[in-house]
């Protein structure tokens, strides 16, 4: 390559490649935006990306479907993802802080065993989790989806890295010399310093639970407790042979991604994958 | 760990770290260790019916040793599923990670316009659940609805069936690439941004162009991140379930045992043979343990490199 001396190279080709990638990623989203505004007739007759006239009637139809079960699914998903991610963040931060800032017997062993959880395929867990929860009388309840979602080994790993990078040992030592108890140090020193990392862990876990399909699919039989993913799947499964239901599925798909996309666009600076790297210039 | 230098701290820490770890350890025991143990237990047993199979006494669970494993391994459909998933995973890994790397490198080169827009747009599918992604693409694959078919027709490809037995795998690969490229791109891009800019100055003074810098300086620096994303992607693609499951209602080409994981689901909940399902799922776990161990070594090196 003899690009030597080219001081002001035009970034046309790289820009074009990236824009093509962006176009590819936006295509299905644009399509669903357009399709959800179409009436049944328009869906099959008009241009795929041309807006239609039926958005509000589609939303009304979807809201009327089985007495508004779609909104129940939406609320369920928010509950699973919100509460699950909150508890998950708390558990991960406590564990990560303990692993990063204390020396104690069994530290490495506990870390390795917990991290080993990342490697266990979800399938090995989901079926027996269902059987065990069924024995405890918890299958087909909110708990069945919530409880297995709390432990997230990768979050513990991230929390440990973040704790060792963000909390100076000297600060903890100074606090101890001043006679502060461990719980007070956790509350006053560790948690405030780890807050940005906690937001990141929360967001990733929130999305993971929001998008999860296998676990609720296995755990729940009663569609009153379904999250959106399982609800939309059953809607598709019943509607696949009835093009009349296509509008409901399409509108449901659009409404189900709006909250996450909003979260994603407003919380941009927290979407970081490298917690140890300190600041990310974006 | 008995590091003498920190002995005093260890004494003073007392019960505190154990207390903080307790929730994680309890949850691990209940929702990871116990299920694995229970699966292993089930995989060695089977229900035997005596007499006519009626009444409570006639149904007994017996120990059958490795019989369930023999059946699982001897099942041709199981291996056919693996073959499909390996083809699928190979394509997804190569294309998704290749694209993620190219996009990350392009974003990092200073000469790109609209970089922020492209980055957000490419990361956007991460916010779309797998079920919804498959559903959207599924509609786009339907001839009656899709702009894809209209485009293909203008190029002279009539009646392309994107959901036939010979094409449905590629259609699924496309969904996975669409959903996964952005996240992996972000991982690699974040890593690239962490490298100080003056790192490249030496190469630039030596007359290296952007391409040479990307290939000879940036890619080697990215190697650990590439291994990490690869291993994560292997674990995820081997367990593919949501996409084929969601395509089933609209494509006859996806069988109920398309991927090994779908076979486990069918055995456990449709045919009700928990014992086979347990054995099969442990075989799947054993097969995916190879990339997993690789990951384990990596995590250890990273975590401890971090400490001091």
């Amino acid at each position: 390559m003899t690009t030597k001396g080219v001081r002001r190279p035009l970034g046309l080709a790289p820009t074009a490649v990236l824009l093509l990638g962006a176009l590819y990623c936006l295509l299905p989203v644009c399509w669903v935006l357009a399709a959800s505004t179409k009436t049944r007739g328009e869906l099959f007759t008009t241009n795929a990306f041309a807006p239609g006239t039926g958005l509000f009637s589609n939303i009304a139809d979807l809201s009327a479907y089985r007495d508004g079960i779609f909104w129940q699914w939406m609320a369920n998903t928010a509950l699973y993802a919100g509460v699950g991610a909150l508890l998950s963040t708390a558990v991960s931060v406590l564990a990560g802080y303990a692993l990063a800032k204390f020396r104690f017997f069994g530290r490495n062993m506990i870390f390795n065993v917990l991290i080993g959880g990342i490697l266990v395929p979800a399938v090995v867990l989901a079926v027996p989790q269902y059987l065990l929860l069924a024995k405890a009388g918890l299958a087909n309840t909110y708990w069945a989806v919530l409880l297995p979602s709390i432990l997230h080994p990768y979050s513990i790993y991230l929390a440990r890295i973040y704790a060792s990078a963000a909390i100076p040992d000297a600060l903890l030592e100074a606090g101890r010399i001043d006679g502060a108890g461990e719980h007070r140090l956790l509350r006053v020193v560790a948690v405030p310093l780890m807050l940005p990392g906690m937001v990141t862990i929360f967001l990733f876990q929130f999305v993971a639970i929001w998008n999860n399909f296998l676990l609720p699919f296995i755990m729940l039989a009663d569609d009153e407790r379904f999250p959106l993913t399982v609800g939309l799947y059953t809607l598709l499964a019943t509607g696949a042979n009835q093009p009349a239901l296509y509008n409901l599925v399409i509108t449901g798909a659009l409404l189900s991604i709006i909250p996450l996309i909003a979260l994603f666009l407003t919380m941009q600076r927290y979407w970081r994958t490298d917690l140890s790297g300190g600041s990310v210039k974006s | 760990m008995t590091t003498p230098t920190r002995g005093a701290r260890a004494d003073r820490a007392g019960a505190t770290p154990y207390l903080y770890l307790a929730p994680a350890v309890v949850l691990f025991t209940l929702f990871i260790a116990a299920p694995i143990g229970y699966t292993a237990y089930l995989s060695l047993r089977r229900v035997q019916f005596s007499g006519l199979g009626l009444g409570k006494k006639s149904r007994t669970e017996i120990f059958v040793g490795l019989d369930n494993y023999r059946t699982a391994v001897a099942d041709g459909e199981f291996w056919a599923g693996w073959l499909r998933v390996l083809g699928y995973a190979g394509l997804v890994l190569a294309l998704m990670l290749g694209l993620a790397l190219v996009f990350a490198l392009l974003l990092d080169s200073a000469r790109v316009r609209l970089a922020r827009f492209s980055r957000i747009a490419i990361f956007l599918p991460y916010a779309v659940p797998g079920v919804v992604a498959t559903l959207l693409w599924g509609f786009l694959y339907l001839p009656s609805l899709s702009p894809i078919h209209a485009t293909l027709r203008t190029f002279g490809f009539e009646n392309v069936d994107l959901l036939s037995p010979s094409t449905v795998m590629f259609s699924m690969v496309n969904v996975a690439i669409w959903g996964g490229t952005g996240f992996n791109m972000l991982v690699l891009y974040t890593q690239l941004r962490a490298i100080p800019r003056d790192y490249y100055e030496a190469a630039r003074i030596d007359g290296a162009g952007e391409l040479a810098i990307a290939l000879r300086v940036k890619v080697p620096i990215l190697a650990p991140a590439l291994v990490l994303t690869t291993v994560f992607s292997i674990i995820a693609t081997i367990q593919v379930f949501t996409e084929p499951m969601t395509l089933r209602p609209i494509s006859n080409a996806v069988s109920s045992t398309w991927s090994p994981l779908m076979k486990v689901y069918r055995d456990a909940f449709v045919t009700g043979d928990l014992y086979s399902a347990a054995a099969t799922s442990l075989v799947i776990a054993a097969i995916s343990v190879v990339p997993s161990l690789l990951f384990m070594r990596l995590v250890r090196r990273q975590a401890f490199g971090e400490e001091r």
Side-chain angles (χ1 to χ4, degrees):
Chain A
M1 282 278 115
T2 52
T3 44
K4 191 178 165 188
V6 186
R7 279 290 132 208
R8 189 146 297 282
L10 49 151
L12 219 58
T15 305
V17 171
L18 278 172
L19 285 178
L20 267 178
L23 191 72
Y24 164 69
C25 289
L26 290 178
L27 181 96
V29 179
C30 293
W31 177 81
V32 75
L33 261 173
S36 60
T37 64
K38 291 178 185 179
T39 60
R40 249 169 244 163
E42 288 169 339
L43 190 61
F44 295 97
T45 50
T46 56
N47 179 289
F49 294 98
T53 56
L55 178 63
F56 294 105
S57 70
N58 283 339
I59 294 177
D61 286 350
L62 184 65
S63 302
Y65 178 72
R66 307 232 1 247
D67 298 324
I69 192 134
F70 177 82
W71 297 106
Q72 178 75 44
W73 295 338
M74 184 77 92
N76 291 343
T77 312
L79 176 85
Y80 293 133
V83 177
L86 211 59
L87 292 172
S88 182
T89 308
V91 168
S92 306
V93 164
L94 273 178
Y97 171 64
L99 288 165
K101 291 295 163 188
F102 292 90
R103 315 275 134 168
F104 53 92
F105 177 77
R107 176 172 155 244
N108 286 323
M109 193 201 68
I110 294 176
F111 177 67
N112 284 338
V113 169
L114 287 177
I115 287 301
I118 298 177
L119 317 176
V120 185
V123 58
V124 184
L125 299 178
V127 176
Q129 276 173 352
Y130 169 78
L131 298 173
L132 291 172
L133 283 166
K135 285 202 169 139
L138 291 174
N140 196 26
T141 65
Y142 285 105
W143 296 111
V145 177
L146 212 46
L147 290 175
S149 308
I150 298 173
L151 184 75
H152 189 235
Y154 192 65
S155 298
I156 296 177
Y157 168 68
L158 287 180
R160 177 186 174 169
I161 289 181
Y162 197 73
S164 54
I167 309 169
D169 280 327
L171 213 55
L172 294 175
E173 283 307 329
R176 288 193 183 106
I177 289 164
D178 289 348
E182 289 299 339
H183 302 315
R184 202 176 135 71
L185 281 179
L186 173 74
R187 224 175 37 244
V188 182
V189 178
V191 169
L193 286 173
M194 289 180 75
L195 213 54
M198 286 166 72
V199 175
T200 303
I201 290 172
F202 175 86
L203 285 176
F204 277 111
Q205 189 61 359
F206 187 89
V207 173
I209 300 176
W210 187 286
N211 291 353
N212 198 349
F213 174 71
L214 181 69
L215 182 76
F217 184 62
I218 284 180
M219 291 294 174
L220 304 173
D222 186 349
D223 63 4
E224 290 279 314
R225 297 189 191 89
F226 281 177
L228 283 167
T229 49
V230 182
L232 284 173
Y233 169 81
T234 53
L235 192 58
L236 178 71
T238 31
N241 313 320
Q242 314 169 45
L245 279 178
Y246 280 11
N247 284 76
L248 292 190
V249 180
I250 289 169
T251 312
L254 174 73
L255 294 177
S256 76
I257 58 177
I258 288 175
L260 272 199
I261 289 181
L263 187 72
F264 167 82
L265 291 176
T266 51
M267 306 287 270
Q268 270 226 53
R269 68 194 195 90
Y270 291 103
W271 291 107
R272 306 179 349 203
T273 52
D274 177 24
L275 287 178
S276 60
S279 68
V280 177
K281 310 127 236 170
S282 63
Chain B
M1 280 286 281
T2 48
T3 35
T5 43
R6 297 280 185 161
R9 271 274 294 285
D11 290 340
R12 240 184 34 202
T16 311
Y18 298 106
L19 190 69
Y20 292 168
L21 277 166
V25 171
V26 168
L27 287 167
F28 184 91
T29 312
L30 286 177
F31 294 104
I32 295 186
I36 293 175
Y38 192 50
T39 309
Y41 170 79
L42 283 177
S43 73
L44 301 174
R45 302 175 72 84
R46 173 156 294 288
V47 162
Q48 195 177 47
F49 296 98
S50 52
L52 289 168
L54 301 168
K56 224 179 173 187
K57 281 275 156 55
S58 64
R59 187 183 180 279
T60 46
E61 221 183 61
I62 55 160
F63 177 81
V64 292
L66 296 177
D67 270 7
N68 292 327
Y69 289 93
R70 271 181 221 116
T71 323
V73 174
D75 187 347
E77 186 48 30
F78 178 62
W79 295 111
W82 270 110
L83 214 60
R84 282 187 289 266
V85 163
L86 283 181
Y88 164 86
L91 276 173
V92 171
L93 288 175
L95 292 169
M96 179 179 76
L97 296 176
L99 279 175
L101 179 63
V102 168
F103 289 152
L105 287 171
L106 289 177
L107 280 175
D108 192 53
S109 76
R111 293 161 190 175
V112 171
R113 296 291 157 89
L114 296 166
R116 199 178 138 78
F117 166 77
S118 299
R119 195 187 73 219
I120 295 172
I122 296 172
F123 187 47
L124 200 67
Y126 173 70
V128 179
V131 171
V132 177
T134 315
L135 212 141
L136 293 184
W137 280 106
F139 278 119
L140 288 173
Y141 295 149
L142 288 178
S144 55
L145 280 174
S146 176
I148 297 177
H149 289 272
T151 315
L152 285 173
R153 264 195 296 280
T154 56
F155 286 107
F157 296 99
E158 292 288 336
N159 300 323
V160 182
D161 185 354
L162 296 170
L163 295 166
S164 77
S166 56
T167 53
V168 76
M169 192 194 45
F170 299 100
S171 299
M172 249 183 262
V173 168
N174 176 53
V175 178
I177 292 172
W178 184 79
T181 301
F183 179 78
N184 290 295
M185 175 194 77
L186 193 75
V187 174
L188 299 174
Y189 176 68
T190 312
Q191 202 80 13
L192 279 174
R193 298 304 288 180
I195 305 168
R197 297 284 103 179
D198 46 359
Y199 210 92
Y200 310 129
E201 273 316 305
R204 213 161 271 144
I205 288 164
D206 287 347
E210 281 293 318
L211 187 66
I213 292 177
L215 292 180
R216 305 226 188 98
V217 183
K218 292 182 180 176
V219 172
I221 293 176
L222 280 180
L226 274 171
V227 175
L228 194 80
T229 50
T230 308
V231 174
F232 266 128
S233 307
I234 291 174
I235 296 174
T237 44
I238 280 179
Q239 295 185 49
V240 62
F241 179 80
T242 307
E243 288 82 1
M245 207 62 189
T246 312
L247 274 185
R248 262 171 66 69
I250 55 174
S251 169
N252 296 325
V254 184
S255 67
S256 65
T257 54
W258 194 88
S259 80
L261 220 154
M262 288 168 74
K263 183 172 148 47
V264 171
Y265 175 80
R266 193 206 56 180
D267 286 352
F269 295 107
V270 183
T271 25
D273 185 356
L274 291 172
Y275 311 94
S276 295
T280 309
S281 66
L282 284 178
V283 174
I284 295 176
I287 295 175
S288 39
V289 95
V290 180
S292 305
L293 286 177
L294 206 78
F295 172 77
M296 194 68 171
R297 282 185 53 189
L298 199 80
V299 166
R300 207 176 278 158
R301 205 187 309 143
Q302 280 209 338
F304 296 142
E306 191 84 42
E307 293 288 291
R308 68 189 74 175

